[in-house]
Amino acid sequence: MHRVLVIEDDRSVAEYLRQGLTECGYSVDVAIDGLIGRTMALGDDHALVLLDSMLPGIDGLEVLHAIRAKGRQPVLMLTARDRVDDKVRGLKAGADDYLVKPFAFSELQARIEALIRRGQANFHEQTVLRLADLELDLAAHKVLRGGRRIDLSTKEFQLLSLLMRRKGQVLTRTTLAERVWNIHFDSDTNMVEVAVRRLRAKVDDTFPQKLIHTVRGVGYILEDRHSHDRNA
């Protein structure tokens, strides 16, 4: 099930999109202002963002700039503005597509499907992920650290893959539980902590440079802090 983030301040439109996309089989998150939308777009792993251009807090273009600063998450702009220069401004800022309100839901659905397919194709082009001396090959299901093969279980590989794809970003325990185990996280369990501890034992503990870091009270982040220190 693909997750879609709708950033739209008109509650009736947001509910219309949420209901329609849910019926089409998508998992839908909704943000009703730019600040919340930016936080959700940067903090969670969505297959696509539907982004209104005029939002309270910060406008759609500011949200788009923040998304593009982090990666290539597909973004479809939704707007009541139909002027050519408005469309050009959005596309130049990094939007993947542009749809003017009002629109037919069937057209929106077709554009979403096309963007998700394109995003998946772009993702599959990058099959090897690297950070410092850690290398993860998605196609071969292989992990190397310092050139040495590391054997991981299926869940450990999925957990490391998620951390590698989102390197430099703090991932909450809830996000990890949902993405890796497909469950809503129960705060009374230590499932995520145990899994991270086992992963660290294999990819970090026997190496001087640690890559998996705990952000106390929030979650975990994969980053090369030695590189940050050298660049400081």
Side-chain angles (χ1 to χ4, degrees):
M1 180 183 293
H2 294 296
R3 289 185 75 199
V4 173
L5 174 60
V6 175
I7 308 177
E8 168 63 66
D9 65 314
D10 186 321
R11 292 177 184 271
S12 62
V13 173
E15 177 57 25
Y16 167 73
L17 293 171
R18 186 199 64 76
Q19 182 175 344
L21 292 172
T22 299
E23 291 174 355
C24 290
Y26 296 98
S27 174
V28 183
D29 297 318
V30 175
I32 58 172
D33 70 47
L35 291 170
I36 295 174
R38 180 178 62 184
T39 299
M40 293 176 68
L42 299 182
D44 287 316
D45 189 16
H46 296 95
L48 180 129
V49 177
L50 294 180
L51 177 62
D52 187 31
S53 61
M54 300 181 66
L55 295 165
I58 58 175
D59 68 19
L61 286 180
E62 289 187 64
V63 177
L64 179 58
H65 286 310
I67 293 173
R68 283 294 163 262
K70 285 292 185 180
R72 284 302 311 164
Q73 191 176 33
V75 176
L76 172 57
M77 296 286 289
L78 301 177
T79 180
R81 297 173 172 174
D82 60 358
R83 290 172 48 190
V84 172
D85 58 342
D86 288 326
K87 295 180 183 179
V88 170
R89 189 178 302 114
L91 293 169
K92 283 188 174 181
D96 296 278
D97 203 352
Y98 209 101
L99 194 56
V100 177
K101 303 173 185 175
F103 49 81
F105 189 83
S106 58
E107 181 182 2
L108 172 66
Q109 184 181 358
R111 290 179 183 237
I112 288 174
E113 290 172 355
L115 288 175
I116 289 178
R117 284 196 303 269
R118 188 191 308 168
Q120 289 175 327
N122 291 338
F123 170 77
H124 289 307
E125 288 176 2
Q126 185 185 14
T127 61
V128 179
L129 307 176
R130 294 183 178 88
L131 180 67
D133 61 346
L134 177 64
E135 179 178 301
L136 184 145
D137 189 325
L138 295 166
H141 207 275
K142 182 172 66 176
V143 175
L144 300 174
R145 180 85 198 259
R148 189 178 80 194
R149 177 73 177 260
I150 297 175
D151 293 322
L152 300 180
S153 69
T154 299
K155 290 301 182 184
E156 289 167 348
F157 188 86
Q158 291 174 358
L159 178 58
L160 182 60
S161 297
L162 179 57
L163 289 167
M164 288 283 280
R165 291 198 303 268
R166 304 280 292 279
K167 60 187 176 184
Q169 299 181 41
V170 178
L171 297 181
T172 66
R173 293 170 178 83
T174 299
T175 296
L176 294 174
E178 289 178 348
R179 295 293 172 273
V180 177
W181 289 271
N182 196 31
I183 64 171
H184 294 291
F185 184 61
D186 181 355
S187 60
D188 293 331
T189 72
N190 64 343
M191 175 187 65
V192 173
E193 287 85 349
V194 170
V196 172
R197 191 180 310 129
R198 289 174 178 169
L199 183 61
R200 274 178 166 153
K202 295 183 178 182
V203 304
D204 258 359
D205 286 358
T206 59
F207 297 89
Q209 181 181 1
K210 310 307 178 187
L211 298 176
I212 303 173
H213 306 280
T214 301
V215 180
R216 192 173 300 277
V218 181
Y220 302 94
I221 183 172
L222 185 80
E223 64 178 352
D224 179 2
R225 293 187 173 176
H226 286 190
S227 175
H228 291 178
D229 293 340
R230 289 193 298 269
N231 295 331

